[in-house]
Amino acid sequence: MNFHFRLHCSFSTIPLANHKQPMNRVPLIIAVLLLCATTVCAQEVTVKLDVKKTWIETPMGKPVIDRGSEGSWDFTAVDNPYVFVENNRYYCFFEAQDTKESNWHERIGLAISEDGVHWKKQANNPIVDVGASGSWDGAVAKLPAAVIKHDSRYYLFYSGRDVHDTKMTSKNIGVVIATELTGQWIKSARNPLLQGRKDKWDTHVTTIPTNIFKRDNRFWLGYRGMKGLYFDQGLGVASSDNLLEWQRATDESPVISIAEEIASMSITKIGNAYIGISQPMKIENRRYWNSTDLLEWTKGSPVLFKSSGKVDTISNPFLVRGQWNVLYEQDDRIYQAVLSNN
């Protein structure tokens, strides 16, 4: 199946102060063209995501975002990338681990690319730190996702865990807010916004590499629900009218059955359709999933991947010069792949 979107700008209804003076149209049309060049609604473009093609690691065998030096906040691992695009600039939010010792922490960093190919970590990393000891995100602040700009402020959602002991821990979702994508990011006093529920299918909840989607005058967020840590997992969906108060659309069961064991899911919107990439541990079990409303999904084709190592979490697909790209975790580093012919 091919997915595409078409964006259109029309000048046929531009009002004119005096239709007898056609030269007055020129500066107006130029102004509109300039506006169209910098807005999402501007271009007449058709972009297909052809699921028969293969995601090919580019460049092969070389990470695009590497770990930091010994002793740094990102020395042990950089992973779980999510990409947000604004004004032809690419922002990769990622998590990183400092050490393998018992007091390890995971925090959130940012790398920026001007061309979608070459990435540079920001000097002010980590942009989101763990909370105080004993707080809901006191052990880890990770899995950045779902950036959206609303009322001149950016919202970035992430997952937190209170303690390192996986038998005692709980995983929940919170948000940080900033006026610039590079920060300063401030944690909401309402955190955590979406909490795991005991005796439900989503005892633990975490973010997934997806955008926030606006539909029916509400914001929609996909999340990963787990009965136990990393097993009995399904896709949950919640909605909000203010980005701070969320209502589950999936109360008693996930929108994709636990039996599918999809683990995480990266989701992007193309036209009026949503396409997801499930992320079970075995790459050969990964599939495309299709939906028109985020609530009902059908399983699609296998995800074809050619890489130099074991592919872990895959980011949301994004366009670079008309080609679909993803970032993904591999060997505790971040690599890039381009959707290409086999």
Side-chain angles (χ1 to χ4, degrees):
M1 182 180 295
N2 294 335
F3 298 83
H4 70 276
F5 64 84
R6 184 175 297 276
L7 303 173
H8 182 64
C9 232
S10 175
F11 304 104
S12 60
T13 58
I14 298 175
L16 297 176
N18 184 348
H19 69 276
K20 294 182 179 180
Q21 298 180 15
M23 289 302 293
N24 289 344
R25 298 172 65 99
V26 174
L28 180 58
I29 292 175
I30 291 174
V32 175
L33 283 170
L34 289 173
L35 176 63
C36 283
T38 58
T39 58
V40 175
C41 69
Q43 305 167 54
E44 182 70 26
V45 177
T46 298
V47 180
K48 296 180 180 180
L49 197 161
D50 189 344
V51 299
K52 295 180 181 179
K53 291 184 176 182
T54 301
W55 296 99
I56 298 178
E57 186 175 300
T58 307
M60 185 65 67
K62 184 177 180 180
V64 294
I65 301 175
D66 209 339
R67 299 181 300 188
S69 58
E70 185 173 359
S72 62
W73 75 281
D74 57 353
F75 170 63
T76 298
V78 291
D79 45 35
N80 286 315
Y82 160 79
V83 178
F84 181 77
V85 183
E86 183 179 76
N87 296 332
N88 296 318
R89 178 177 286 183
Y90 302 83
Y91 298 82
C92 173
F93 296 87
F94 63 93
E95 69 179 59
Q97 183 175 329
D98 50 5
T99 178
K100 293 182 179 180
E101 302 299 325
S102 59
N103 62 339
W104 57 269
H105 292 93
E106 290 174 303
R107 303 172 173 89
I108 295 172
L110 173 64
I112 298 177
S113 175
E114 300 294 337
D115 58 7
V117 176
H118 304 92
W119 300 85
K120 182 178 180 180
K121 294 179 187 175
Q122 295 305 284
N124 61 335
N125 283 338
I127 59 169
V128 181
D129 206 341
V130 295
S133 177
S135 62
W136 77 277
D137 59 353
V140 299
K142 60 185 296 183
L143 292 167
V147 171
I148 188 170
K149 187 176 184 180
H150 178 60
D151 289 342
S152 300
R153 298 195 298 176
Y154 295 95
Y155 293 72
L156 166 64
F157 292 80
Y158 72 102
S159 298
R161 200 167 83 191
D162 50 358
V163 295
H164 288 93
D165 187 345
T166 57
K167 295 181 179 179
M168 301 290 292
T169 193
S170 62
K171 300 190 78 171
N172 303 293
I173 294 174
V175 69
V176 287
I177 304 170
T179 56
E180 301 287 343
L181 284 166
T182 52
Q184 183 181 8
W185 292 93
I186 305 298
K187 296 180 181 180
S188 170
R190 300 191 187 190
N191 284 343
L193 304 182
L194 195 63
Q195 301 185 52
R197 303 177 296 172
K198 293 182 179 180
D199 303 321
K200 292 282 189 178
W201 72 273
D202 54 356
T203 301
H204 303 277
V205 295
T206 70
T207 40
I208 58 177
T210 177
N211 292 317
I212 291 278
F213 302 109
K214 189 75 179 291
R215 183 168 60 83
D216 301 329
N217 294 318
R218 293 183 67 81
F219 302 100
W220 294 80
L221 172 68
Y223 68 91
R224 178 183 188 179
M226 298 174 280
K227 184 67 176 177
L229 277 180
Y230 312 115
F231 66 89
D232 290 347
Q233 306 169 84
L235 175 64
V237 177
S239 68
S240 172
D241 60 7
N242 61 11
L243 295 170
L244 296 176
E245 299 169 309
W246 293 89
Q247 293 78 46
R248 284 174 168 86
T250 48
D251 187 50
E252 296 301 324
S253 60
V255 295
I256 296 179
S257 170
I258 286 174
E260 295 287 351
E261 198 65 43
I262 63 168
S264 184
M265 173 97 98
S266 66
I267 305 174
T268 194
K269 185 179 182 184
I270 305 176
N272 293 320
Y274 303 90
I275 182 168
I277 300 176
S278 66
Q279 310 208 23
M281 292 300 293
K282 293 183 177 180
I283 188 70
E284 61 268 22
N285 292 339
R286 300 188 181 193
R287 294 290 187 275
Y288 290 102
W289 288 79
N290 312 309
S291 178
T292 58
D293 61 3
L294 295 173
L295 301 177
E296 295 185 3
W297 292 82
T298 57
K299 185 191 289 188
S301 305
V303 178
L304 305 178
F305 225 101
K306 185 179 294 184
S307 65
S308 60
K310 180 180 177 294
V311 175
D312 207 321
T313 307
I314 302 171
S315 78
N316 51 314
F318 58 97
L319 285 169
V320 179
R321 294 184 296 278
Q323 283 189 294
W324 287 105
N325 284 242
V326 291
L327 299 182
Y328 58 96
E329 174 189 348
Q330 181 174 281
D331 300 326
D332 294 325
R333 298 169 174 85
I334 294 174
Y335 290 73
Q336 189 157 348
V338 180
L339 191 63
S340 308
N341 292 321
N342 295 342

